[in-house]
Every structure is written in structure tokens, then in C-alpha cells.
Amino acid sequence: MSDFPRWKYFLVAIVLVLGVLYAVPNMYVPLQAVQVSASQGQTLDPTVQEKITSALQAAKIPYVNETLKHDASRGDYVVVGFSNGDLQKSAADALKASLGDNFTVAFNLESTVPKWLATINGRAMPLGLDLQGGVRFLMAVDQDDIIDRQETRYTTDIAALLKDKKISFISVTRNATRGQGVNVVLNSAATRSTASDAIAVEYPDLAITDGANTGDRFVLNAVIKPDKLRDLQTNAIRQNLQTLTNRINALGVSEPVIQAQGTDHISVELAGVQDPAEAKKVIGATATLQYVAGLGDGRDPAVQDAAKTGNVPPDAHLYYGPRGEPYLVSKTIIASGDELVDATSGNDQQTGSPAVNVTLNSAGAAKMLDFTRDNVGKPMAVVYVENTTDAKVVDGKEVRTPKTTYQVINYATINGVFSNKFQTTGLASNKAASDLALMLKGGSLAARMDIISEGVIGPSLGQDNIEKGLKAVLLGLGLVLLAAAIYYKLFGLVADIALFFNLVVLVAVMSLIGVTLTMPGIAGIVLTLGMAIDANVLICERVREELRNGSTPLASIRAGYEKAWATILDANVTHLIAALALTTMGSGPIRGFGVTLLIGILTSMFTSVTVTHAITALIHGGRKLKTLSV
């Protein structure tokens, strides 16, 4: 078989070796584990690790291993492995009671893939919700809340603009009917015209119209344009997705699926999580940030007195920091979290100390400029405001109690006048800077969300799905292998070898690029195996046809592959188009099926044609053949 190039042999060998190498990690079953990470402002050091092991020993819960890890994006966390799910749940309950609210305790899976394999990016395919069990939430984004926030903001901004332009006005109020914008009342037609021009220039996203005149009251209506409102709704979905992702990452959930559904819904799937109440507490919380003037910290006697007696000045709030230290802050908000565009951690260029670079939008920048212009050398605080709902079952019924918490996450001195871009310094470490940046970016939802449906898939059902899926793959593979070997003899056995390697390479590619395996994905694998043998059926029938026409065995093989290739290519191209459509336009399980099908078609084309041709060439090359076993 001199017509089969040597470089193709090398290509086949390299692909098969890499395929086996990257498919092997799926043979290592992950360990049931509990992850402990620090909450806001807390430090997770070896003493916490010792406290964790002591709590487990006191509760007489055996564990496989425990390690303190560091991830640049997630910070420090401790992972403790257990031999089964029951021990995992008992350990989580014991650690929550022992560590309190300062640490987050979450279920996780610990990879058991050897380090040398992990070093070359070898990893097992993550399992989807239907295979691993977990919880699923469908959340509705409150569209009215988006309108409320924007109209309230425009009310404040327009009033500030008119003051800045020295345009006298009687009042600036939000219309009582939601969606009808802002009503500006002026004292003359000329002033109204001037105000209209100023607002139109500053806020081109508002439609400005003249309202009714009553005596010396001239009304101006400013309504958000429909295009701007649609952009706001789209951006709200995007920001809420990012906020949820940040919060769930803090939970330590592996491979969460967070995606938009339609224009106003978000679905969240947390594989491996079996405690929906704990998950709801985290993802259902609504939080925001407030930049306010600082009136004193714990070193101030007035603050100490307020903390002891509870007598707080009428214009101030008494809040506490992450370590319980008291602060007095102003009730007047300078800017809020939904006016924050970006926050990144870094180092101060002059001193090299840890810092956070903050960017505000134009409205927030204007207010920050006004404030800092008059308050250089004075403190400013960042307050984290979180609204949560505690759910308890009382007399068989779920009782939900809303709760709002305030925490000062940063208290720093204003060193100069700034507006949209400024830097927060004085942070204890680079990790503190990274935590603050993450909190600033992930702490605020653009609009309120409500959980409208939830479901729990138990791990036993997921395990049952895995067993049934595995049986389906093995049964399908076995029947196809048997049929091919019986009907096409030696060529059938060669096809069987290629089919086996097709499964190996398919699993390797899916593992390497991080495809999450779901039930539809398993269906895609079974379908791919069935389709893969079709190519070999075409090749074998072509070879038989050539033999019947009187060609020599070697010529029959050569002609069989050449003539079958065009048909194989045509058939697979149409399948590829369908798989590509499912992948790009589908979502959730449909997309998972499409991705598996797409990868499977590509790998089957390689193994069914190139790999079988290489094996056939090795068997028959250089031999004088009278017939073929086909």
C-alpha cells in the first residue's frame, strides 16, 4: 500500500496517543468534598484549617484528605474530601455550626486526576445537572424595577443639571405613573425652553415634550425613549448574569450553568448542590453599594459612644465593618453601585501599595466630582447593602422573612478631587484589593429578581441516569461491533477498532475543551457511534463491488476508499450543518446535544476513513493477495 503516505501514519499515531491520554482522566471518579471559603473581610489561614479538622474529629466524621488551596480568582479555600455523600452532608452541617457566618461552607467535587495529567490540562468531563443531581432555579427580572431606578435617577440628575446651569425651576419630580418619566415645572415659557435645550443636550436618551401650562407653572415632560429602555433591560440582564456568576463562584459550585432565557428570565443550574435553601439565600439576595461621607471610625470617641449607647446622630447611620469595628456614616448617598462601571485591583504607581481602580458612569461621576471638590482630606466610606430572605419551615409551611444588612467594606481618606475614575488605597494586602474589586463588581444587581420556580434533582436520580446512559452506550457499541465483525469479517474488525478509537477521541476532545456531559450529550454519543459505522459500510461495499468487477485486491481497496469518500463527505457535511445549527442557535440540553454531535461527526470522519485506511494498509501492504476478507 505505497499509496498511503507515511506522514498519515504519524498523524494517526499522534491523534490516537493524545486521544487515550486525554480520555483517561474520565476514569478517575471525583471525590465528594466540602469547600470552606472566607466571607467578606475574613482571612483563611492554617489556623482555620486546624479548626476545620478539629470540628470534624469532634463530630467523629472521617475524611479522606484536607488541603488549603489558593486560586488567583477565588482566593484561599480549604477542600475536605469524603468517601461518600452522607459523610459529606454531615461534615457540611458540622462545619457550618462550628465556623459560623464568617465562612461559606459549600458542597463540591474534588478531582482525583493525577497531578502529571492535570499539569498537561488533562481533566474529566464535568457532569451536568441531570447526571450529578443539583438544584435549578428560574428567576424573573423585575422590569418595573428597572424603570423605577432609571426614572428616579433621571429625576435626581435633571435637578442637579438645572442647578448646575443656574436655570431656576419650581420642582423636578417623577411622574406618579410608572413609565411616564419626569415632570419639570418651571416659572416661564422662556425658562422652559432653556431647560428643554439643556436636558436634551445632556440626556439625548430622553424624549422632551412641553406639558400643560397653569398660570405661572410651565411643565416639561422627560420620558425615556423606547430604544434606551430596551438597552437598559438588556444591560440589566447582562449585569445580573455577571453578579450571579460572581456570587455562585464564591459558593465554590463546580460548572454552574447561568444563562438568560428570553428577555426577562435567568435560569441557574447548580450541579452537586442539594441544599436549595442555602443556594437561594446566596443567589436570591439583592445587594448594592453606597458611597457615603464618613463621619468617624472606631478611634473616634463619638463613634465609641454611639456604639455603646445606641444614640446615633439624626443625620448618620451606625454601621460596622467586617471585623465588627463601628463607623458613623452620612445618610446622604453620593453614588450607588449601579452607577459603577468597572473596578480592578492593582498597585498604586507612586507607592506600590495595593489599590483598587474604580470607574463610574457619567451620572455618578458628576455627583462624585461635586462631593470631592468640597471634601478633600475627609473620609469616604463604601457600604455594602444586602437584602436577603430567610426561609424557615414552621408547622409545615415555609415562612420567609426579609432581612437587610449593612457593612462598611472600605473607609478611606479623600486625597484629591476626582470624578469618574479614582483609586482606593490603604488596603492591607493584594488579596484585600482583589476581594474589594470583586465585591464592587459583583455586589450589585441592576434590577430586582424573583425566583419563580425551583427544582431539585437528587444524586440518586443522577446516578441512575449515569448507569442507564452507560448501559445505552455499551449496548449500542457492542451491537454495532458484533454486526460489523460478522458481516464484513476482517474489514469489519478493522472498523470495530476505529469505532472504539472514535469513542476515545470523542471523549478526549470533549474533556479537553470542557464540554459538560448531560443526558442529551450521551444520546449524541450513541447516535454518533451509529453514524460512524455508516462510513465503513460504504467503504466495504465499494471494495466488494470492485472485487466483483474483477479488480485486484489492492486496487479494490484503493478504489473503495476513493469512491466512498465523496459519499461520506456529502452525508457528513449535511449532518455538520444541522449540528452547527443546534450548537449556535440552541441552548441548554439542545446545545449540549449539538456540541456532542458536532465533535462526534468530525472524529468519526477521521477514524472511519483515515484510521481504518491506515490499519488496512498495515495489514495488506506489501503482500500478494488473491482475495480480501470483506
Side-chain angles (χ1 to χ4, degrees), residues 100-147:
D101 294 335
N102 291 330
F103 296 89
T104 300
V105 180
F107 294 111
N108 206 340
L109 292 173
E110 177 72 354
S111 173
T112 57
V113 175
K115 286 185 178 179
W116 69 270
L117 259 177
T119 305
I120 59 172
N121 207 26
R123 56 188 177 184
M125 272 187 292
L127 301 180
L129 194 69
D130 49 357
L131 297 181
Q132 191 180 167
V135 296
R136 176 192 291 120
F137 297 106
L138 182 62
M139 313 177 76
V141 178
D142 190 340
Q143 302 294 318
D144 292 340
D145 188 47
I146 298 173
I147 298 173

mmCIF file of all heavy atoms in Angstrom, residues 100-147:
data_model
loop_
_atom_site.group_PDB
_atom_site.id
_atom_site.type_symbol
_atom_site.label_atom_id
_atom_site.label_comp_id
_atom_site.label_asym_id
_atom_site.label_seq_id
_atom_site.Cartn_x
_atom_site.Cartn_y
_atom_site.Cartn_z
ATOM 1 N N GLY A 100 -19.562 29.258 61.853
ATOM 2 C CA GLY A 100 -20.435 30.428 61.904
ATOM 3 C C GLY A 100 -20.582 31.107 60.553
ATOM 4 O O GLY A 100 -20.250 30.543 59.504
ATOM 5 N N ASP A 101 -21.084 32.358 60.581
ATOM 6 C CA ASP A 101 -21.396 33.080 59.340
ATOM 7 C C ASP A 101 -20.184 33.711 58.678
ATOM 8 O O ASP A 101 -20.305 34.290 57.599
ATOM 9 C CB ASP A 101 -22.422 34.184 59.644
ATOM 10 C CG ASP A 101 -23.762 33.599 60.059
ATOM 11 O OD1 ASP A 101 -24.043 32.443 59.664
ATOM 12 O OD2 ASP A 101 -24.510 34.286 60.774
ATOM 13 N N ASN A 102 -19.018 33.653 59.340
ATOM 14 C CA ASN A 102 -17.840 34.288 58.746
ATOM 15 C C ASN A 102 -17.209 33.468 57.637
ATOM 16 O O ASN A 102 -16.264 33.919 56.989
ATOM 17 C CB ASN A 102 -16.794 34.561 59.828
ATOM 18 C CG ASN A 102 -17.243 35.651 60.783
ATOM 19 O OD1 ASN A 102 -17.986 36.543 60.391
ATOM 20 N ND2 ASN A 102 -16.828 35.573 62.030
ATOM 21 N N PHE A 103 -17.689 32.243 57.445
ATOM 22 C CA PHE A 103 -17.131 31.379 56.405
ATOM 23 C C PHE A 103 -18.269 30.737 55.625
ATOM 24 O O PHE A 103 -19.335 30.459 56.183
ATOM 25 C CB PHE A 103 -16.240 30.298 57.022
ATOM 26 C CG PHE A 103 -15.020 30.862 57.710
ATOM 27 C CD1 PHE A 103 -15.071 31.220 59.048
ATOM 28 C CD2 PHE A 103 -13.850 31.077 57.005
ATOM 29 C CE1 PHE A 103 -13.962 31.765 59.682
ATOM 30 C CE2 PHE A 103 -12.741 31.627 57.633
ATOM 31 C CZ PHE A 103 -12.791 31.975 58.970
ATOM 32 N N THR A 104 -18.025 30.519 54.351
ATOM 33 C CA THR A 104 -19.008 29.860 53.492
ATOM 34 C C THR A 104 -18.643 28.389 53.357
ATOM 35 O O THR A 104 -17.522 28.051 52.985
ATOM 36 C CB THR A 104 -19.021 30.506 52.091
ATOM 37 O OG1 THR A 104 -19.352 31.888 52.230
ATOM 38 C CG2 THR A 104 -20.036 29.818 51.200
ATOM 39 N N VAL A 105 -19.602 27.513 53.677
ATOM 40 C CA VAL A 105 -19.395 26.059 53.569
ATOM 41 C C VAL A 105 -20.266 25.552 52.432
ATOM 42 O O VAL A 105 -21.485 25.758 52.458
ATOM 43 C CB VAL A 105 -19.765 25.349 54.880
ATOM 44 C CG1 VAL A 105 -19.546 23.844 54.747
ATOM 45 C CG2 VAL A 105 -18.938 25.908 56.041
ATOM 46 N N ALA A 106 -19.665 24.926 51.435
ATOM 47 C CA ALA A 106 -20.424 24.504 50.246
ATOM 48 C C ALA A 106 -19.979 23.120 49.805
ATOM 49 O O ALA A 106 -18.850 22.701 50.057
ATOM 50 C CB ALA A 106 -20.216 25.501 49.109
ATOM 51 N N PHE A 107 -20.912 22.426 49.141
ATOM 52 C CA PHE A 107 -20.576 21.114 48.574
ATOM 53 C C PHE A 107 -19.744 21.307 47.314
ATOM 54 O O PHE A 107 -19.919 22.277 46.580
ATOM 55 C CB PHE A 107 -21.844 20.340 48.213
ATOM 56 C CG PHE A 107 -22.666 19.953 49.407
ATOM 57 C CD1 PHE A 107 -23.893 20.535 49.631
ATOM 58 C CD2 PHE A 107 -22.206 19.021 50.311
ATOM 59 C CE1 PHE A 107 -24.656 20.178 50.720
ATOM 60 C CE2 PHE A 107 -22.959 18.661 51.409
ATOM 61 C CZ PHE A 107 -24.185 19.231 51.618
ATOM 62 N N ASN A 108 -18.857 20.367 47.074
ATOM 63 C CA ASN A 108 -18.034 20.453 45.881
ATOM 64 C C ASN A 108 -17.566 19.050 45.517
ATOM 65 O O ASN A 108 -17.800 18.097 46.248
ATOM 66 C CB ASN A 108 -16.827 21.374 46.134
ATOM 67 C CG ASN A 108 -16.332 21.994 44.856
ATOM 68 O OD1 ASN A 108 -16.617 21.491 43.771
ATOM 69 N ND2 ASN A 108 -15.608 23.081 44.959
ATOM 70 N N LEU A 109 -16.914 18.945 44.381
ATOM 71 C CA LEU A 109 -16.296 17.688 43.955
ATOM 72 C C LEU A 109 -14.799 17.917 43.796
ATOM 73 O O LEU A 109 -14.393 18.890 43.166
ATOM 74 C CB LEU A 109 -16.908 17.212 42.628
ATOM 75 C CG LEU A 109 -18.371 16.753 42.690
ATOM 76 C CD1 LEU A 109 -18.873 16.476 41.279
ATOM 77 C CD2 LEU A 109 -18.519 15.518 43.551
ATOM 78 N N GLU A 110 -13.996 17.046 44.369
ATOM 79 C CA GLU A 110 -12.551 17.184 44.309
ATOM 80 C C GLU A 110 -12.003 16.213 43.265
ATOM 81 O O GLU A 110 -12.236 15.003 43.350
ATOM 82 C CB GLU A 110 -11.947 16.902 45.696
ATOM 83 C CG GLU A 110 -10.440 16.933 45.754
ATOM 84 C CD GLU A 110 -9.886 18.350 45.628
ATOM 85 O OE1 GLU A 110 -10.683 19.278 45.391
ATOM 86 O OE2 GLU A 110 -8.669 18.508 45.741
ATOM 87 N N SER A 111 -11.280 16.734 42.295
ATOM 88 C CA SER A 111 -10.727 15.886 41.250
ATOM 89 C C SER A 111 -9.667 14.946 41.819
ATOM 90 O O SER A 111 -8.875 15.322 42.683
ATOM 91 C CB SER A 111 -10.101 16.762 40.159
ATOM 92 O OG SER A 111 -9.420 15.952 39.225
ATOM 93 N N THR A 112 -9.679 13.707 41.351
ATOM 94 C CA THR A 112 -8.650 12.737 41.759
ATOM 95 C C THR A 112 -7.689 12.433 40.614
ATOM 96 O O THR A 112 -6.929 11.468 40.687
ATOM 97 C CB THR A 112 -9.315 11.431 42.237
ATOM 98 O OG1 THR A 112 -10.149 10.919 41.185
ATOM 99 C CG2 THR A 112 -10.157 11.660 43.478
ATOM 100 N N VAL A 113 -7.741 13.239 39.565
ATOM 101 C CA VAL A 113 -6.832 13.045 38.423
ATOM 102 C C VAL A 113 -5.393 13.307 38.884
ATOM 103 O O VAL A 113 -5.131 14.280 39.604
ATOM 104 C CB VAL A 113 -7.207 14.020 37.281
ATOM 105 C CG1 VAL A 113 -6.189 13.926 36.143
ATOM 106 C CG2 VAL A 113 -8.598 13.729 36.789
ATOM 107 N N PRO A 114 -4.433 12.404 38.538
ATOM 108 C CA PRO A 114 -3.032 12.606 38.958
ATOM 109 C C PRO A 114 -2.487 13.969 38.528
ATOM 110 O O PRO A 114 -2.906 14.524 37.498
ATOM 111 C CB PRO A 114 -2.298 11.474 38.236
ATOM 112 C CG PRO A 114 -3.337 10.430 38.000
ATOM 113 C CD PRO A 114 -4.616 11.174 37.784
ATOM 114 N N LYS A 115 -1.558 14.469 39.308
ATOM 115 C CA LYS A 115 -1.027 15.808 39.058
ATOM 116 C C LYS A 115 -0.370 15.935 37.695
ATOM 117 O O LYS A 115 -0.472 16.960 37.031
ATOM 118 C CB LYS A 115 -0.033 16.187 40.158
ATOM 119 C CG LYS A 115 -0.691 16.539 41.482
ATOM 120 C CD LYS A 115 0.336 17.027 42.472
ATOM 121 C CE LYS A 115 -0.358 17.417 43.793
ATOM 122 N NZ LYS A 115 0.620 17.868 44.806
ATOM 123 N N TRP A 116 0.349 14.852 37.278
ATOM 124 C CA TRP A 116 1.046 14.962 35.994
ATOM 125 C C TRP A 116 0.058 15.104 34.842
ATOM 126 O O TRP A 116 0.322 15.795 33.857
ATOM 127 C CB TRP A 116 1.973 13.764 35.793
ATOM 128 C CG TRP A 116 1.254 12.441 35.580
ATOM 129 C CD1 TRP A 116 0.875 11.549 36.536
ATOM 130 C CD2 TRP A 116 0.827 11.888 34.319
ATOM 131 N NE1 TRP A 116 0.228 10.476 35.981
ATOM 132 C CE2 TRP A 116 0.198 10.647 34.614
ATOM 133 C CE3 TRP A 116 0.910 12.305 33.000
ATOM 134 C CZ2 TRP A 116 -0.336 9.835 33.621
ATOM 135 C CZ3 TRP A 116 0.380 11.494 32.001
ATOM 136 C CH2 TRP A 116 -0.226 10.271 32.318
ATOM 137 N N LEU A 117 -1.140 14.464 34.992
ATOM 138 C CA LEU A 117 -2.159 14.610 33.953
ATOM 139 C C LEU A 117 -2.791 16.001 34.007
ATOM 140 O O LEU A 117 -3.048 16.635 32.980
ATOM 141 C CB LEU A 117 -3.245 13.550 34.156
ATOM 142 C CG LEU A 117 -3.185 12.312 33.257
ATOM 143 C CD1 LEU A 117 -4.278 11.345 33.634
ATOM 144 C CD2 LEU A 117 -3.294 12.687 31.788
ATOM 145 N N ALA A 118 -3.041 16.464 35.228
ATOM 146 C CA ALA A 118 -3.627 17.799 35.381
ATOM 147 C C ALA A 118 -2.680 18.874 34.862
ATOM 148 O O ALA A 118 -3.122 19.908 34.341
ATOM 149 C CB ALA A 118 -3.960 18.051 36.854
ATOM 150 N N THR A 119 -1.360 18.634 34.988
ATOM 151 C CA THR A 119 -0.380 19.611 34.525
ATOM 152 C C THR A 119 -0.483 19.851 33.019
ATOM 153 O O THR A 119 -0.272 20.959 32.540
ATOM 154 C CB THR A 119 1.042 19.132 34.885
ATOM 155 O OG1 THR A 119 1.098 18.888 36.289
ATOM 156 C CG2 THR A 119 2.091 20.161 34.498
ATOM 157 N N ILE A 120 -0.802 18.794 32.271
ATOM 158 C CA ILE A 120 -0.934 18.944 30.803
ATOM 159 C C ILE A 120 -2.392 19.193 30.417
ATOM 160 O O ILE A 120 -2.805 18.896 29.310
ATOM 161 C CB ILE A 120 -0.379 17.719 30.068
ATOM 162 C CG1 ILE A 120 -1.119 16.446 30.509
ATOM 163 C CG2 ILE A 120 1.113 17.579 30.306
ATOM 164 C CD1 ILE A 120 -0.751 15.223 29.677
ATOM 165 N N ASN A 121 -3.187 19.698 31.398
ATOM 166 C CA ASN A 121 -4.596 20.071 31.167
ATOM 167 C C ASN A 121 -5.505 18.866 30.970
ATOM 168 O O ASN A 121 -6.563 18.979 30.348
ATOM 169 C CB ASN A 121 -4.715 21.015 29.965
ATOM 170 C CG ASN A 121 -5.929 21.913 30.066
ATOM 171 O OD1 ASN A 121 -6.400 22.198 31.171
ATOM 172 N ND2 ASN A 121 -6.449 22.348 28.938
ATOM 173 N N GLY A 122 -5.093 17.723 31.483
ATOM 174 C CA GLY A 122 -5.950 16.545 31.451
ATOM 175 C C GLY A 122 -6.987 16.637 32.564
ATOM 176 O O GLY A 122 -6.637 16.839 33.719
ATOM 177 N N ARG A 123 -8.255 16.546 32.211
ATOM 178 C CA ARG A 123 -9.322 16.665 33.206
ATOM 179 C C ARG A 123 -10.530 15.873 32.743
ATOM 180 O O ARG A 123 -10.721 15.642 31.548
ATOM 181 C CB ARG A 123 -9.709 18.131 33.388
ATOM 182 C CG ARG A 123 -10.111 18.792 32.092
ATOM 183 C CD ARG A 123 -10.305 20.284 32.240
ATOM 184 N NE ARG A 123 -10.624 20.895 30.961
ATOM 185 C CZ ARG A 123 -10.776 22.183 30.779
ATOM 186 N NH1 ARG A 123 -10.622 23.003 31.788
ATOM 187 N NH2 ARG A 123 -11.067 22.675 29.596
ATOM 188 N N ALA A 124 -11.324 15.458 33.732
ATOM 189 C CA ALA A 124 -12.534 14.703 33.413
ATOM 190 C C ALA A 124 -13.628 15.652 32.955
ATOM 191 O O ALA A 124 -13.639 16.822 33.327
ATOM 192 C CB ALA A 124 -12.996 13.917 34.634
ATOM 193 N N MET A 125 -14.543 15.118 32.139
ATOM 194 C CA MET A 125 -15.678 15.929 31.709
ATOM 195 C C MET A 125 -16.561 16.262 32.913
ATOM 196 O O MET A 125 -16.915 15.354 33.673
ATOM 197 C CB MET A 125 -16.529 15.158 30.687
ATOM 198 C CG MET A 125 -16.091 15.325 29.266
ATOM 199 S SD MET A 125 -17.273 14.541 28.153
ATOM 200 C CE MET A 125 -17.043 12.817 28.523
ATOM 201 N N PRO A 126 -16.912 17.529 33.111
ATOM 202 C CA PRO A 126 -17.867 17.841 34.183
ATOM 203 C C PRO A 126 -19.233 17.271 33.845
ATOM 204 O O PRO A 126 -19.617 17.197 32.669
ATOM 205 C CB PRO A 126 -17.884 19.370 34.208
ATOM 206 C CG PRO A 126 -17.415 19.789 32.857
ATOM 207 C CD PRO A 126 -16.467 18.717 32.381
ATOM 208 N N LEU A 127 -19.960 16.843 34.870
ATOM 209 C CA LEU A 127 -21.286 16.254 34.652
ATOM 210 C C LEU A 127 -22.363 17.302 34.840
ATOM 211 O O LEU A 127 -22.266 18.161 35.727
ATOM 212 C CB LEU A 127 -21.508 15.095 35.627
ATOM 213 C CG LEU A 127 -20.495 13.954 35.553
ATOM 214 C CD1 LEU A 127 -20.833 12.882 36.574
ATOM 215 C CD2 LEU A 127 -20.444 13.366 34.148
ATOM 216 N N GLY A 128 -23.385 17.227 34.015
ATOM 217 C CA GLY A 128 -24.486 18.183 34.088
ATOM 218 C C GLY A 128 -25.429 17.882 35.236
ATOM 219 O O GLY A 128 -25.277 16.892 35.968
ATOM 220 N N LEU A 129 -26.422 18.751 35.356
ATOM 221 C CA LEU A 129 -27.380 18.641 36.455
ATOM 222 C C LEU A 129 -28.109 17.303 36.433
ATOM 223 O O LEU A 129 -28.371 16.700 37.469
ATOM 224 C CB LEU A 129 -28.388 19.788 36.346
ATOM 225 C CG LEU A 129 -29.269 20.055 37.540
ATOM 226 C CD1 LEU A 129 -28.452 20.611 38.691
ATOM 227 C CD2 LEU A 129 -30.373 21.038 37.180
ATOM 228 N N ASP A 130 -28.448 16.804 35.229
ATOM 229 C CA ASP A 130 -29.234 15.579 35.136
ATOM 230 C C ASP A 130 -28.420 14.335 35.466
ATOM 231 O O ASP A 130 -28.988 13.269 35.698
ATOM 232 C CB ASP A 130 -29.856 15.447 33.740
ATOM 233 C CG ASP A 130 -28.833 15.662 32.632
ATOM 234 O OD1 ASP A 130 -27.663 15.965 32.960
ATOM 235 O OD2 ASP A 130 -29.191 15.527 31.456
ATOM 236 N N LEU A 131 -27.111 14.445 35.465
ATOM 237 C CA LEU A 131 -26.264 13.295 35.780
ATOM 238 C C LEU A 131 -25.711 13.356 37.198
ATOM 239 O O LEU A 131 -25.427 12.330 37.805
ATOM 240 C CB LEU A 131 -25.095 13.204 34.787
ATOM 241 C CG LEU A 131 -25.481 12.978 33.326
ATOM 242 C CD1 LEU A 131 -24.242 12.886 32.457
ATOM 243 C CD2 LEU A 131 -26.303 11.702 33.180
ATOM 244 N N GLN A 132 -25.495 14.553 37.718
ATOM 245 C CA GLN A 132 -24.866 14.709 39.014
ATOM 246 C C GLN A 132 -25.873 15.043 40.122
ATOM 247 O O GLN A 132 -25.571 14.911 41.297
ATOM 248 C CB GLN A 132 -23.821 15.843 38.914
ATOM 249 C CG GLN A 132 -22.921 15.943 40.106
ATOM 250 C CD GLN A 132 -21.913 17.067 39.939
ATOM 251 O OE1 GLN A 132 -21.254 17.463 40.878
ATOM 252 N NE2 GLN A 132 -21.767 17.588 38.733
ATOM 253 N N GLY A 133 -27.083 15.472 39.718
ATOM 254 C CA GLY A 133 -28.038 15.972 40.705
ATOM 255 C C GLY A 133 -27.729 17.417 41.026
ATOM 256 O O GLY A 133 -26.635 17.906 40.748
ATOM 257 N N GLY A 134 -28.695 18.102 41.627
ATOM 258 C CA GLY A 134 -28.451 19.502 41.979
ATOM 259 C C GLY A 134 -29.757 20.267 42.014
ATOM 260 O O GLY A 134 -30.842 19.679 42.111
ATOM 261 N N VAL A 135 -29.644 21.579 41.949
ATOM 262 C CA VAL A 135 -30.840 22.419 42.016
ATOM 263 C C VAL A 135 -30.920 23.309 40.784
ATOM 264 O O VAL A 135 -29.902 23.644 40.175
ATOM 265 C CB VAL A 135 -30.848 23.304 43.284
ATOM 266 C CG1 VAL A 135 -30.914 22.448 44.525
ATOM 267 C CG2 VAL A 135 -29.631 24.200 43.328
ATOM 268 N N ARG A 136 -32.146 23.653 40.425
ATOM 269 C CA ARG A 136 -32.384 24.515 39.259
ATOM 270 C C ARG A 136 -33.361 25.614 39.675
ATOM 271 O O ARG A 136 -34.375 25.344 40.320
ATOM 272 C CB ARG A 136 -32.967 23.701 38.112
ATOM 273 C CG ARG A 136 -33.334 24.537 36.896
ATOM 274 C CD ARG A 136 -34.169 23.783 35.906
ATOM 275 N NE ARG A 136 -33.422 22.741 35.241
ATOM 276 C CZ ARG A 136 -33.722 21.466 35.283
ATOM 277 N NH1 ARG A 136 -34.778 21.068 35.978
ATOM 278 N NH2 ARG A 136 -33.019 20.559 34.652
ATOM 279 N N PHE A 137 -33.021 26.852 39.325
ATOM 280 C CA PHE A 137 -33.895 27.986 39.619
ATOM 281 C C PHE A 137 -34.210 28.723 38.318
ATOM 282 O O PHE A 137 -33.347 28.847 37.441
ATOM 283 C CB PHE A 137 -33.218 28.979 40.573
ATOM 284 C CG PHE A 137 -32.899 28.412 41.924
ATOM 285 C CD1 PHE A 137 -31.594 28.102 42.267
ATOM 286 C CD2 PHE A 137 -33.898 28.175 42.851
ATOM 287 C CE1 PHE A 137 -31.291 27.573 43.499
ATOM 288 C CE2 PHE A 137 -33.610 27.652 44.087
ATOM 289 C CZ PHE A 137 -32.304 27.352 44.419
ATOM 290 N N LEU A 138 -35.429 29.205 38.223
ATOM 291 C CA LEU A 138 -35.795 30.122 37.143
ATOM 292 C C LEU A 138 -36.163 31.444 37.800
ATOM 293 O O LEU A 138 -37.044 31.492 38.667
ATOM 294 C CB LEU A 138 -36.972 29.583 36.335
ATOM 295 C CG LEU A 138 -37.398 30.466 35.155
ATOM 296 C CD1 LEU A 138 -36.264 30.593 34.141
ATOM 297 C CD2 LEU A 138 -38.641 29.891 34.471
ATOM 298 N N MET A 139 -35.472 32.508 37.413
ATOM 299 C CA MET A 139 -35.649 33.807 38.057
ATOM 300 C C MET A 139 -36.173 34.818 37.050
ATOM 301 O O MET A 139 -35.720 34.845 35.891
ATOM 302 C CB MET A 139 -34.312 34.284 38.632
ATOM 303 C CG MET A 139 -33.595 33.199 39.423
ATOM 304 S SD MET A 139 -31.998 33.696 40.044
ATOM 305 C CE MET A 139 -32.498 34.709 41.400
ATOM 306 N N ALA A 140 -37.114 35.616 37.494
ATOM 307 C CA ALA A 140 -37.691 36.666 36.636
ATOM 308 C C ALA A 140 -37.093 38.007 37.042
ATOM 309 O O ALA A 140 -37.108 38.365 38.228
ATOM 310 C CB ALA A 140 -39.201 36.690 36.779
ATOM 311 N N VAL A 141 -36.571 38.719 36.065
ATOM 312 C CA VAL A 141 -36.016 40.052 36.319
ATOM 313 C C VAL A 141 -37.159 41.060 36.329
ATOM 314 O O VAL A 141 -37.965 41.108 35.395
ATOM 315 C CB VAL A 141 -34.977 40.429 35.247
ATOM 316 C CG1 VAL A 141 -34.433 41.831 35.498
ATOM 317 C CG2 VAL A 141 -33.844 39.416 35.226
ATOM 318 N N ASP A 142 -37.257 41.826 37.399
ATOM 319 C CA ASP A 142 -38.356 42.768 37.577
ATOM 320 C C ASP A 142 -38.168 43.969 36.636
ATOM 321 O O ASP A 142 -37.339 44.840 36.870
ATOM 322 C CB ASP A 142 -38.389 43.237 39.030
ATOM 323 C CG ASP A 142 -39.657 44.028 39.350
ATOM 324 O OD1 ASP A 142 -40.293 44.514 38.398
ATOM 325 O OD2 ASP A 142 -39.989 44.157 40.537
ATOM 326 N N GLN A 143 -38.963 43.978 35.551
ATOM 327 C CA GLN A 143 -38.851 45.057 34.574
ATOM 328 C C GLN A 143 -39.300 46.399 35.167
ATOM 329 O O GLN A 143 -38.752 47.454 34.823
ATOM 330 C CB GLN A 143 -39.696 44.735 33.337
ATOM 331 C CG GLN A 143 -39.327 43.431 32.650
ATOM 332 C CD GLN A 143 -37.934 43.482 32.053
ATOM 333 O OE1 GLN A 143 -37.540 44.475 31.453
ATOM 334 N NE2 GLN A 143 -37.166 42.421 32.221
ATOM 335 N N ASP A 144 -40.290 46.357 36.057
ATOM 336 C CA ASP A 144 -40.744 47.603 36.687
ATOM 337 C C ASP A 144 -39.632 48.229 37.520
ATOM 338 O O ASP A 144 -39.518 49.463 37.609
ATOM 339 C CB ASP A 144 -41.971 47.334 37.573
ATOM 340 C CG ASP A 144 -43.186 46.957 36.751
ATOM 341 O OD1 ASP A 144 -43.197 47.261 35.548
ATOM 342 O OD2 ASP A 144 -44.116 46.359 37.319
ATOM 343 N N ASP A 145 -38.827 47.370 38.155
ATOM 344 C CA ASP A 145 -37.738 47.890 38.984
ATOM 345 C C ASP A 145 -36.709 48.641 38.137
ATOM 346 O O ASP A 145 -36.135 49.638 38.577
ATOM 347 C CB ASP A 145 -37.059 46.718 39.715
ATOM 348 C CG ASP A 145 -36.053 47.202 40.742
ATOM 349 O OD1 ASP A 145 -36.397 48.111 41.515
ATOM 350 O OD2 ASP A 145 -34.913 46.696 40.753
ATOM 351 N N ILE A 146 -36.495 48.154 36.903
ATOM 352 C CA ILE A 146 -35.552 48.843 36.008
ATOM 353 C C ILE A 146 -36.054 50.254 35.705
ATOM 354 O O ILE A 146 -35.309 51.233 35.768
ATOM 355 C CB ILE A 146 -35.379 48.043 34.696
ATOM 356 C CG1 ILE A 146 -34.795 46.664 35.004
ATOM 357 C CG2 ILE A 146 -34.499 48.795 33.708
ATOM 358 C CD1 ILE A 146 -34.754 45.748 33.802
ATOM 359 N N ILE A 147 -37.353 50.352 35.394
ATOM 360 C CA ILE A 147 -37.940 51.667 35.089
ATOM 361 C C ILE A 147 -37.895 52.567 36.321
ATOM 362 O O ILE A 147 -37.540 53.752 36.241
ATOM 363 C CB ILE A 147 -39.391 51.492 34.596
ATOM 364 C CG1 ILE A 147 -39.407 50.672 33.300
ATOM 365 C CG2 ILE A 147 -40.056 52.843 34.365
ATOM 366 C CD1 ILE A 147 -40.797 50.298 32.820
#
